[in-house]
Amino acid sequence: MIEIRNLTKIYPATGSSPMVRALDQVNLTIKTGDIFGIIGLSGAGKSTLIRCINLLERPTEGEILVDGLDVAKLNAHDLRAFRSRFGMVFQDYNLFMQRTVARNIAFPLEIAGVPAAQRAARVTELLELIGLSDKANAYPAQLSGGQKQRVSIARALATHPEFLLCDEPTSALDSLTTTSILNLLSDINQKLGVSIIIITHETSVVRRICRHMAVLSENRILETGAVSDLVANPQSALTRQLLKLEQTVAEDAADAFDALDAFEAEVHAYE
Ligand SMILES: Nc1ncnc2c1ncn2[C@@H]1O[C@H](COP(=O)(O)OP(=O)(O)OP(=O)(O)O)[C@@H](O)[C@H]1O
Ligand SMILES: [Mg+2]
């Protein structure tokens, strides 16, 4: 289980750029075995949040506990072992263009010092999992976007991580390819028991594979819970908008009255 408590991340000012409070007092619990979606507008802090979870970014304040372990207290040696519990997948694949598919997948195993024979066996297994056994010796430039993302997922899984952190993994793919990648992620979750945290701006991704989700807005959690609950009973207009839920005319009117009430309250405060 990942417990995030009062997490604040500030990027300090540099040169001409002012400091940015990318996350502000974020609280979130992600259960082991879940597929957890994070949605929010651009700049809300989604990537920062998942980068803090595996300590690619150091939190400014707050705690992150992974199975009760306070990650801030890890020393350099433990940090390496800790990071190997996470695999990461990105929108633009981040494959090594000079390496074949097999050698891309083998890369984390090389870093971890796994002997060649074991590496080869693991790569064969992963190529089967992603359905690309015939592409072992191809180069990334010879693959479609969907195939590249499969290779990137295989590479992320090479060292048997417990968590897969996916930052907009299907945003560059067409809808059919998106479906095949979502099916693969679903299989990985169910068959291998890997917990998945997935950032997306596509409502279909959340609604098709996530069991729980959080909505981030301007560096804070707006709401979090079971996807079915948020779809059935969204607490905010942003959630409704991001999940592309139909808003009834009555709700439109209610929102307009709420806005008017808020405006009047503000005017009264001035008087
Ligand atoms: N390394 C960095 N240094 C300084 N500021 C940063 C850095 N990374 C992100 N930010 C800022 O932090 C805020 C949150 O950025 P983040 O990348 O987490 O947002 P996001 O929700 O992932 O957005 P998008 O949907 O566009 O990917 C933004 O204002 C961004 O400019
Ligand atoms: Mg991002």
Side-chain angles (χ1 to χ4, degrees):
M1 180 160 71
I2 300 176
E3 292 162 275
I4 298 170
R5 294 187 188 152
N6 301 319
L7 172 64
T8 294
K9 172 67 187 179
I10 294 174
Y11 293 110
T14 51
S16 56
S17 335
M19 71 107 150
V20 177
R21 186 177 287 267
L23 295 172
D24 192 22
Q25 299 285 317
V26 165
N27 288 288
L28 207 58
T29 299
I30 300 171
K31 296 220 171 86
T32 301
D34 206 355
I35 304 186
F36 193 99
I38 299 173
I39 63 172
L41 298 175
S42 182
K46 306 180 297 294
S47 296
T48 301
L49 177 59
I50 63 167
R51 290 168 65 82
C52 281
I53 292 176
N54 68 349
L55 288 188
L56 279 180
E57 293 291 351
R58 282 271 167 193
T60 308
E61 274 173 41
E63 282 184 324
I64 298 175
L65 306 173
V66 177
D67 296 334
L69 176 83
D70 183 348
V71 304
K73 301 211 171 104
L74 296 170
N75 60 33
H77 174 263
D78 293 341
L79 184 62
R80 205 160 170 198
F82 172 76
R83 285 233 177 88
S84 74
R85 298 175 68 181
F86 298 87
M88 262 196 123
V89 175
F90 305 90
Q91 175 176 349
D92 48 6
Y93 326 119
N94 284 5
L95 296 177
F96 303 110
M97 301 309 278
Q98 315 299 336
R99 284 178 167 245
T100 61
V101 164
R103 292 198 60 229
N104 261 283
I105 299 173
F107 181 75
L109 302 169
E110 288 172 25
I111 299 291
V114 174
Q118 250 172 284
R119 276 200 318 254
R122 180 69 178 143
V123 169
T124 303
E125 199 172 273
L126 287 160
L127 281 168
E128 259 168 52
L129 175 81
I130 60 169
L132 289 180
S133 301
D134 56 334
K135 297 286 187 194
N137 297 317
Y139 285 87
Q142 299 168 306
L143 303 179
S144 69
Q147 290 170 333
K148 282 185 207 156
Q149 196 57 295
R150 287 174 177 269
V151 174
S152 142
I153 290 169
R155 184 180 60 182
L157 291 175
T159 54
H160 297 280
E162 298 157 58
F163 304 93
L164 197 57
L165 307 178
C166 307
D167 196 342
E168 310 225 20
T170 58
S171 297
L173 305 174
D174 63 57
S175 64
L176 223 61
T177 313
T178 293
T179 300
S180 82
I181 294 290
L182 295 184
N183 289 342
L184 176 63
L185 291 174
S186 236
D187 272 1
I188 288 166
N189 174 255
Q190 275 166 29
K191 295 186 185 144
L192 308 179
V194 176
S195 308
I196 298 180
I197 301 171
I198 184 164
I199 295 175
T200 182
H201 64 261
E202 296 162 293
T203 175
S204 60
V205 171
V206 174
R207 296 178 76 169
R208 270 146 76 180
I209 69 166
C210 297
R211 289 190 276 275
H212 294 90
M213 64 179 287
V215 184
L216 258 182
S217 172
E218 294 177 0
N219 67 28
R220 287 170 176 263
I221 301 285
L222 201 57
E223 54 185 313
T224 178
V227 172
S228 51
D229 289 345
L230 266 69
V231 167
N233 191 20
Q235 299 298 304
S236 72
L238 181 66
T239 304
R240 206 161 16 212
Q241 182 194 332
L242 291 170
L243 289 175
K244 295 197 172 68
L245 301 172
E246 295 282 321
Q247 178 150 334
T248 63
V249 174
E251 282 173 324
D252 274 340
D255 277 355
F257 282 121
D258 283 349
L260 200 60
D261 283 348
F263 176 69
E264 279 180 358
E266 228 168 86
V267 171
H268 280 308
Y270 250 101
E271 286 168 357

